[in-house]
Amino acid sequence: MSPKRSLLLSILCAASLSACAQSPSSAAEDPAADAAAPAAAQIETAPGTPEDRARKAILSINPDIRIDSIAAAPLEGFREVIVGGQALYVSDDGKYLLQGSLFDIEAKKDVTQAGVAEVRRKLLAAVPASDRIVFAPANPKYTVSVFTDVECGYCRKLHQDIAEYNKRGIAIEYLAFPRMGVGTPDYELMVSVWCSPDRRKALTDAKDGRRVPSRKCENPVASQYQLGQRVGLTGTPMIVTESGVQMPGYLPPDALLSALEQADADAAARASGG
């Protein structure tokens, strides 16, 4: 492999964990997990279009990359390609690839995140409520999806304050992300949690270090692990708003409420042209 091709492959591996990163024990080593995980499906494009050339350019570098979106980029002459929760920019002739944030100087904002957030929103909206572990107040003002791991210190810290998040009108909807990978003891424990008759209690017990009886069932843990990779997860807990905006890591209850209020204000400003 030439140095240039190797560099481009490294770029795409960094941009798409689901295509390039291997967990300590992959889903291929666990038939049950493999059956639970959805098959990769490539996006379709009309032949001869800039979108088609962008798709072919990406797949020529790594045919295993899963592309989630191809659309017109804020940069003239380029398509925005979303892979692994990150944006890449491919020239309309399929010749050039750019990676990194695109900043609108006049508007003073990062325009890269809008496309990424929309892809996250669509992917998370497809996860049914029955596959989540939900801690919510009666009438939540905000709802966030949280990719969590039972061994993660900050995940445990967040869960210790679950009642405080709820008091502030924030519903927490947990998705599974066993950081050590599919087939590991961490993964098996999260499967036991999701297979428990009382998932909320089992998750609390696991995060508090109490024993959770081992259980097996049809479960979404492997598919949610893959989903976390697709939406660009780099660490747990990953907190994502209903509009697909990623919060900056763990936030205490008051800080998360402030961040959600600010996100609402920013969205209102954009809608009004401000």
Side-chain angles (χ1 to χ4, degrees):
M1 180 181 293
S2 70
K4 289 183 179 178
R5 186 173 177 83
S6 178
L7 175 60
L8 287 173
L9 182 57
S10 296
I11 289 173
L12 288 185
C13 282
S16 182
L17 290 171
S18 59
C20 303
Q22 295 295 322
S23 63
S25 177
S26 70
E29 296 169 344
D30 186 333
D34 190 58
Q42 288 295 355
I43 193 168
E44 296 183 359
T45 50
T49 61
E51 289 77 12
D52 191 50
R53 287 189 285 272
R55 180 184 64 84
K56 289 178 177 177
I58 294 295
L59 296 180
S60 72
I61 300 168
N62 185 344
D64 294 327
I65 286 288
R66 179 187 292 188
I67 299 171
D68 286 310
S69 172
I70 303 176
L75 184 65
E76 186 177 353
F78 282 78
R79 300 294 104 178
E80 181 181 72
V81 184
I82 309 297
V83 294
Q86 297 186 44
L88 302 174
Y89 299 100
V90 179
S91 59
D92 286 348
D93 59 7
K95 187 176 180 180
Y96 299 102
L97 181 148
L98 297 173
Q99 182 187 28
S101 296
L102 189 61
F103 194 80
D104 185 325
I105 296 174
E106 183 177 346
K108 295 182 173 58
K109 64 180 181 180
D110 181 349
V111 295
T112 303
Q113 294 307 310
V116 174
E118 178 59 15
V119 168
R120 282 200 202 102
R121 184 193 68 77
K122 289 179 179 179
L123 290 173
L124 289 171
V127 180
S130 60
D131 283 352
R132 303 167 182 250
I133 299 180
V134 179
F135 291 80
N139 297 293
K141 182 178 180 182
Y142 297 105
T143 298
V144 294
S145 296
V146 179
F147 285 91
T148 193
D149 177 72
V150 292
E151 304 292 346
C152 155
Y154 278 108
C155 297
R156 290 182 170 188
K157 187 173 178 62
L158 186 153
H159 194 68
Q160 287 170 358
D161 286 334
I162 199 73
E164 294 301 318
Y165 290 102
N166 288 172
K167 284 180 182 177
R168 287 156 180 78
I170 303 170
I172 304 291
E173 299 193 347
Y174 283 121
L175 302 172
F177 193 86
R179 296 180 302 163
M180 298 305 294
V182 173
T184 63
D186 185 27
Y187 166 81
E188 297 296 341
L189 177 54
M190 297 198 78
V191 167
S192 295
V193 167
W194 254 258
C195 290
S196 296
D198 186 342
R199 289 179 176 176
R200 286 160 48 103
K201 181 180 184 302
L203 184 64
T204 300
D205 286 346
K207 286 179 179 288
D208 287 345
R210 293 192 290 270
R211 180 180 175 274
V212 174
S214 179
R215 290 185 171 88
K216 297 286 186 182
C217 69
E218 183 177 343
N219 68 85
V221 175
S223 60
Q224 290 181 6
Y225 175 74
Q226 290 191 353
L227 177 62
Q229 295 174 326
R230 287 182 70 187
V231 299
L233 187 151
T234 57
T236 52
M238 181 187 188
I239 304 173
V240 185
T241 71
E242 288 183 289
S243 59
V245 175
Q246 180 181 351
M247 294 286 104
Y250 162 77
L251 290 172
D254 286 332
L256 180 56
L257 178 60
S258 295
L260 292 170
E261 290 172 342
Q262 184 60 55
D264 264 3
D266 292 343
R270 287 194 297 272
S272 64

